[in-house]
Amino acid sequence: MDMHTVVVGTSGTSAEDVIAVARGAARVELSPDALSALAAAREVIDALAAKPDPVYGVSTGFGALAVRHISPELRVQLQRNIVRSHAAGMGPRVEREVVRALMFLRLKTVASGRTGVRPEVARTMAAVLNAGITPVVHEYGSLGCSGDLAPLSHCALTLMGEGDAEGPDGTVRPAAELLAEHGIEPVTLREKEGLALLNGTDGMLGMLVMACADLARLFTSADITAALSLEALLGSERVLAPELHAIRPHPGQAASAANMLRVLAGSGLTGHHQDDAPRVQDAYSIRCAPQVAGAGRDTLDHALLVAGRELAAAVDNPVVLPDGRVESNGNFHGAPVAYVLDFLAVAAADLASVAERRTDRLLDKNRSHGLPAFLAGDPGVDSGLMIAQYTQAALVSEMKRLAVPASVDSIPSSAMQEDHVSMGWSAARKLRTAVDNLARVIAVELVAATLALEMRGELSREGMLPAPASRAVLAALREAGVDGPGGDRFLAPDLAAAEEFVRSGRLVEAAETVTGPLA
């Protein structure tokens, strides 16, 4: 991705900007209106801090300890202590892109002028991102309510010059050293600022945004591999006719059917399901491919709607309202994000499941309509794709377990003050694994379907050629090195290369050289 600058204002951000910062290392700047809003909100907080009346997050403790009024001389220590005490994550580090998305989205909320954070703290957040400094954030520590507390606390610790962080060279070092090297002064947090840096759903939202981008590409990839499998099995493309999908008007279904139809345009192999071993209809995994993938597409559209609303939101507690009031609220609860993260894990698992069934059909000589057992070059001497399908089945099995929703769970915390939580962070973490697995499942189907098409050579000699789009995919796949050692795809296809071919978008690009843009 080309380097560019993302300007953070008061009105939220876009999914494209999140991905540019998280994955593309785009620079971040605060707009003049954001700096003005930050200063104005801070004046409100300073005025409240000077009054004798306790205000949550400004002059009180937190959570179940909010009943204590904190005197002015202890408030800097209070804000520092909340960050230190809440930076209690455990387990392996989460990915750099997740942490960058988390930091950027927290900056987005801070820049809204609804948190009461000083402009200099926001500038420091932007400087840390621009320097390529990535706080060490751990897998466990968020219940998805009161925000992603432990992950955000580890990020705030870096702003204070404490804890460990990864530098731009990938080496983990003390945060204080990294800040000093880049000329960044550690912040001393004042009233409300520690709380404001921790109290958001930014981690789960960042992972949702990136999962949506990845799944959009994978849904298109799955349409392509489904079309290749249909063609290799000599199936009928008539079930993809637009008029059939118009009478059940789900937009995702229509889009998937249209994609498959465009990939299959000009095929000489489809429609031969009545030859030799006649069959009235293709199996569900072939015939119903648009219905399954389409339901996933519609689920993705709903997730994008939720993500868009969250990207426009300012999540904190308490918040500074436009009329100057500072009010407590429950907007930090992660339920809206957690639900769609779980929905997407279900959709991904089902899409993987139907892709695996098509692969198994291609490998079964009793159901593949003339293809050799396991697509082996010499069945018995070699095993073809037998174990590739085992791997695919293991991935699908794991995805089914990952589809069990996290958001139906809740474990009370903070002495029953926080007595219902979303578990959205957990939903996001398992979705990332599911998305990775889906790419691998699609890659195995791709290898099987293209190998089967090559094995239809005797039909090609009779003028029954694969579709032009299929031939373009075959050529690109060979160029990508999927043939494996010695160039023998029949013996040892390189599944890792196939996975990268799918994940990078090269599969879609190859098909689109013939079809034009696919949905």
Side-chain angles (χ1 to χ4, degrees), residues 317-331:
N317 178 50
V319 291
V320 182
L321 294 173
D323 60 8
R325 286 181 295 136
V326 176
E327 296 286 356
S328 291
N329 64 89
N331 284 339

Side-chain angles (χ1 to χ4, degrees), residues 345-360 388-404 433-434 436-442 444-445:
V346 171
D350 202 35
L351 185 61
S353 177
V354 75
E356 184 276 329
R357 288 293 81 206
R358 289 191 294 264
T359 304
D360 180 69
Q389 187 267 333
Y390 282 30
T391 299
Q392 193 186 42
L395 290 164
V396 171
S397 180
E398 182 179 44
M399 291 180 71
K400 291 175 181 178
R401 295 191 297 274
L402 293 169
V404 176
T433 302
D436 283 345
N437 284 356
L438 178 60
R440 296 173 183 127
V441 169
I442 292 170
V444 175
E445 182 182 17

Side-chain angles (χ1 to χ4, degrees), residues 289-376:
Q291 285 77 5
V292 175
R297 284 175 171 272
D298 292 342
T299 303
L300 176 60
D301 284 345
H302 175 61
L304 288 167
L305 177 65
V306 172
R309 291 169 178 164
E310 290 287 313
L311 290 169
V315 176
D316 193 17
N317 178 50
V319 291
V320 182
L321 294 173
D323 60 8
R325 286 181 295 136
V326 176
E327 296 286 356
S328 291
N329 64 89
N331 284 339
F332 50 75
H333 200 289
V337 182
Y339 290 173
V340 292
L341 288 162
D342 280 335
F343 296 164
L344 289 173
V346 171
D350 202 35
L351 185 61
S353 177
V354 75
E356 184 276 329
R357 288 293 81 206
R358 289 191 294 264
T359 304
D360 180 69
R361 184 165 289 270
L362 287 163
L363 271 55
D364 185 349
K365 68 176 184 179
N366 296 313
R367 294 179 291 144
S368 63
H369 309 289
L371 293 169
F374 303 107
L375 301 180

Side-chain angles (χ1 to χ4, degrees), residues 22 43 152 182 209 234 247 250-251 288 332 370 401-402 445:
E43 289 179 3
L152 283 163
H182 291 85
V209 168
L234 310 180
I247 60 176
H250 292 289
C288 303
F332 50 75
R401 295 191 297 274
L402 293 169
E445 182 182 17

Side-chain angles (χ1 to χ4, degrees), residues 404-419:
V404 176
S407 58
V408 298
D409 189 23
S410 177
I411 297 180
S413 56
S414 193
M416 293 298 287
Q417 175 70 6
E418 298 167 10
D419 59 351

